[in-house]
Amino acid sequence: MARGLLTAWSYSRLQTYEACPLKARLTYIDKLGPPPSRAMVNGQEAHKQAENFLKGGEYPYHPAWDSATWGALLTGLREREYVPEQQVAFDKDWSVVEWYAPDARCRMVFDASKLEKKVVHVIDYKTGRYSESHEEQAEMYAVGAALLFPTARVVREEFWYLDNG
């Protein structure tokens, strides 16, 4: 990345920039972001536990989550061999490139994904409340999944709100 320029974006970077370009610069270029909030730490823990479980690790638990429902849903993903934390990057022509490729322009991480027959399933875990911006993120992920799995005819994007059961 050239100093002082955001050459690659993700949905969260775009949201940050649209809300406040200075905050985007301070966070992503100058690396002076604020300390993590409780909500951010909670979300990171959810993702870490889910990834670990899908890779064969311990049953996920957090006191704020409906662990029976959360665990049952993740068990289904593990049994169907969903890929956890799948990273995909695209260049300016929307061709798939390596995550850290110098020509990467857009990056996405699918929390859990799988191509089953001609349907791509992409799941994104959310902690906290629903936001209309999640629908924009779903559209972006649907485009990314369709490009990553060109044999697919349908893309199903789901958001799992872990704090709300």
Side-chain angles (χ1 to χ4, degrees):
M1 170 166 64
R3 179 78 178 130
L5 296 176
L6 286 173
T7 58
W9 61 278
S10 64
Y11 186 75
S12 59
R13 282 186 179 201
L14 177 62
Q15 266 194 314
T16 301
Y17 181 83
E18 287 179 341
C20 179
L22 178 59
K23 181 177 180 181
R25 177 192 169 95
L26 293 173
T27 301
Y28 301 115
I29 296 171
D30 298 338
K31 309 288 187 203
L32 299 173
S37 66
R38 176 175 282 162
M40 185 184 302
V41 170
N42 186 40
Q44 290 169 340
E45 180 64 22
H47 283 81
K48 187 178 359 172
Q49 285 193 36
E51 178 181 11
N52 181 53
F53 183 70
L54 291 183
K55 290 180 174 178
E58 298 282 323
Y59 191 80
Y61 173 76
H62 187 282
W65 305 331
D66 177 352
S67 294
T69 302
W70 170 225
L73 289 168
L74 285 176
T75 298
L77 296 182
R78 184 159 91 173
E79 289 171 353
R80 290 168 49 201
E81 300 180 345
Y82 269 64
V83 176
E85 299 297 315
Q86 182 167 25
Q87 296 179 328
V88 60
F90 302 96
D91 66 11
K92 65 179 179 58
D93 297 318
W94 291 96
S95 296
V96 176
V97 296
E98 293 295 320
W99 186 257
Y100 288 113
D103 57 342
R105 294 295 175 262
C106 176
R107 294 186 179 102
M108 302 176 200
V109 178
F110 304 146
D111 295 340
S113 61
K114 181 169 182 151
L115 175 63
E116 293 181 305
K117 300 181 182 172
K118 298 232 178 233
V119 179
V120 178
H121 300 269
V122 177
I123 298 168
D124 195 73
Y125 316 127
K126 297 290 186 194
T127 52
R129 292 186 294 264
Y130 165 82
S131 168
E132 283 187 27
S133 70
H134 297 163
E135 294 179 27
E136 294 173 355
Q137 182 181 7
E139 291 175 10
M140 185 181 120
Y141 279 20
V143 170
L147 291 168
L148 183 62
F149 300 100
T151 61
R153 294 292 165 246
V154 175
V155 176
R156 293 196 58 178
E157 170 68 34
E158 298 178 24
F159 289 100
W160 290 7
Y161 293 87
L162 307 179
D163 295 338
N164 302 322

